[in-house]
Amino acid sequence: MNMNANALASSQTATKPVILTGDRPTGSLHIGHFVGSLRNRVSLQDSHQQFILLADLQALTDNMADPDKVTSNVTEVALDYLAVGIDPGKTRICLQSQLPALSEMAMLYLNLVTVARLERNPTIKEEIRARGFERDIPAGFLCYPVSQAADITGFRATVVPVGEDQLPMIEQTNEIVRRINRQTGRDVLPETTALLSKTGRLPGIDGKAKMSKSLGNAISLSASPDEIDKAVQQMYTDAGHLRVSDPGKVEGNVVFTYLDAFDPEVDEVATLKDHYRRGGLGDSMLKQRLSSILNEIIGPIRERRYELARDLGMVRDIVRDGTQSAQELTQATLDDIKCAFGLFRL
Ligand code: TRP
């Protein structure tokens, strides 16, 4: 790129709204992530200046006994991003633990939040229950919404594409932003907005609300054709639909939920649903259809991922470059905040 093109590119990105999203790198990503967030990120990267955070520090808040699980998955998740079409020329992929300004911001923000407020966060409440922490909650875990507020504001992100479970985090972030702006009498930080994905959370192949690698009900982004077929065969349909001629239920039928999420032929799916409800449409025909659609989507991702994995040095370089550019940005935000509070400068 010559100088002029460079200047042009930066003047264009300067006007684009900033997006920050992120994932905890605790395992490679699956098709639930793909419908819930990854495909959105691919389409948003042209119209926005997008940063994606590999939130390893956040992942450690409940994995400190097994840091290897987190560090070994940093590259896996970065590979998933690149394989689905995240373009490092448009989107910066950054590693949270290499951005010390974010931790410093979190340290300041902790003084603007009460423990009671943290305990009221519905997502945290649910996660504490699910993890069985009871009274032994790691302090870092309870406080991760504050660290996430630092992530979002550190990048001056005004758009955060998230699932519904992350809405309380956005709310807490904006409370902190308003508090800082009010107290310092300056517009130090912008408020941020959640961008909810249109498709809700994809259930696991067993129909359970959450698809997760650890529950064994996920389809990975590198699943082979055999693994895809096997997963689709196992999918829950309708226990009352014993013979092809029986009328079947569409609601709660995992195969239809997946067709809704992945099948581009919306009208055909509507016709299939009518037919299924009337009776006369067998599960196997639907499963074949779904299997071939999933193969078409996952096939190219799997192959690209395989190719990329042959050059992990390049993947690491991409994350290093992305992180370096984020270091400057987040440090500048931290300096602004310190200055607004009038912290001592030597
Ligand atoms: N909490 C998010 C999750 O569990 C991950 C995350 C960390 C994040 N920092 C973020 C998401 C900033 C959006 C913005 O998936």
Side-chain angles (χ1 to χ4, degrees):
M1 198 189 264
N2 64 37
M3 283 281 282
N4 286 342
N6 227 331
L8 182 69
S10 61
S11 75
Q12 280 175 343
T13 50
T15 59
K16 290 180 182 175
V18 177
I19 284 185
L20 178 73
T21 64
D23 298 282
R24 300 178 195 177
T26 51
S28 52
L29 304 180
H30 51 61
I31 60 168
H33 297 109
F34 182 76
V35 290
S37 62
L38 296 175
R39 67 179 174 188
N40 267 341
R41 296 178 189 177
V42 173
S43 60
L44 288 165
Q45 64 184 344
D46 288 308
S47 50
H48 292 72
Q49 186 180 354
Q50 182 165 250
F51 295 90
I52 305 182
L53 194 65
L54 291 158
D56 56 346
L57 287 181
Q58 186 177 116
L60 285 173
T61 62
D62 63 338
N63 284 289
M64 204 59 199
D66 188 9
D68 232 28
K69 175 176 167 196
V70 176
T71 44
S72 62
N73 279 304
V74 165
T75 326
E76 295 301 316
V77 175
L79 272 172
D80 289 329
Y81 293 157
L82 298 170
V84 298
I86 293 296
D87 174 351
K90 298 174 182 164
T91 297
R92 315 266 167 86
I93 302 173
C94 323
L95 185 59
Q96 189 184 30
S97 60
Q98 298 297 311
L99 298 170
L102 297 181
S103 297
E104 240 185 286
M105 283 167 58
M107 200 70 197
L108 280 168
Y109 293 1
L110 280 171
N111 305 315
L112 304 171
V113 177
T114 65
V115 173
R117 174 66 182 90
L118 286 162
E119 286 171 343
R120 268 202 309 274
N121 183 313
T123 299
I124 292 287
K125 256 195 200 164
E126 168 54 25
E127 288 176 334
I128 287 172
R129 200 197 51 75
R131 284 163 177 72
F133 283 146
E134 297 188 9
R135 292 202 45 78
D136 295 322
I137 310 164
F141 186 84
L142 185 66
C143 298
Y144 91 71
V146 176
S147 149
Q148 192 160 327
D151 299 341
I152 295 167
T153 54
F155 286 83
R156 299 184 174 282
T158 54
V159 183
V160 183
V162 284
E164 252 180 68
D165 62 316
Q166 294 293 304
L167 289 178
M169 308 303 166
I170 307 292
E171 203 180 304
Q172 271 202 287
T173 301
N174 283 333
E175 284 171 21
I176 293 171
V177 167
R178 286 193 289 268
R179 170 82 196 266
I180 292 175
N181 292 346
R182 184 163 20 91
Q183 194 182 326
T184 62
R186 283 182 38 194
D187 277 338
V188 187
L189 297 170
E191 285 194 40
T192 198
T193 30
L195 186 66
L196 273 182
S197 86
K198 277 181 226 89
T199 35
R201 177 179 274 180
L202 196 68
I205 58 172
D206 54 0
K208 292 233 173 72
K210 194 176 157 161
M211 176 180 283
S212 122
K213 199 176 166 185
S214 53
L215 292 176
N217 64 3
I219 301 179
S220 111
L221 286 175
S222 46
S224 68
D226 266 4
E227 287 168 330
I228 296 171
D229 279 347
K230 228 173 111 202
V232 173
Q233 283 316 319
Q234 282 174 24
M235 265 179 204
Y236 179 81
T237 54
D238 168 13
H241 187 241
L242 296 175
R243 273 168 304 221
V244 174
S245 55
D246 291 340
K249 260 201 280 194
V250 166
E251 286 68 34
N253 185 319
V254 183
V255 177
F256 276 113
T257 309
Y258 277 51
L259 286 173
D260 282 337
F262 294 103
D263 195 327
E265 307 291 342
V266 179
D267 292 343
E268 272 183 48
V269 174
T271 311
L272 289 171
K273 283 181 182 172
D274 286 343
H275 194 173
Y276 196 79
R277 285 195 181 103
R278 280 199 311 272
L281 182 59
D283 284 351
S284 67
M285 179 266 166
L286 288 173
K287 286 186 167 179
Q288 261 165 33
R289 181 182 177 102
L290 177 60
S291 213
S292 91
I293 292 169
L294 288 180
N295 265 299
E296 256 171 63
I297 295 173
I298 296 175
I301 298 176
R302 179 182 61 236
E303 269 147 47
R304 218 172 119 65
R305 201 182 188 286
Y306 179 79
E307 283 305 313
L308 288 159
R310 291 155 62 131
D311 191 356
L312 291 181
M314 185 199 63
V315 177
R316 237 171 272 129
D317 285 346
I318 289 171
V319 178
R320 190 184 304 118
D321 287 351
T323 305
Q324 252 161 21
S325 67
Q327 269 158 356
E328 285 169 40
L329 177 61
T330 53
Q331 184 60 46
T333 311
L334 172 65
D335 289 345
D336 272 359
I337 297 169
K338 282 181 164 175
C339 174
F341 278 111
L343 293 197
F344 204 89
R345 288 182 69 167
L346 292 175

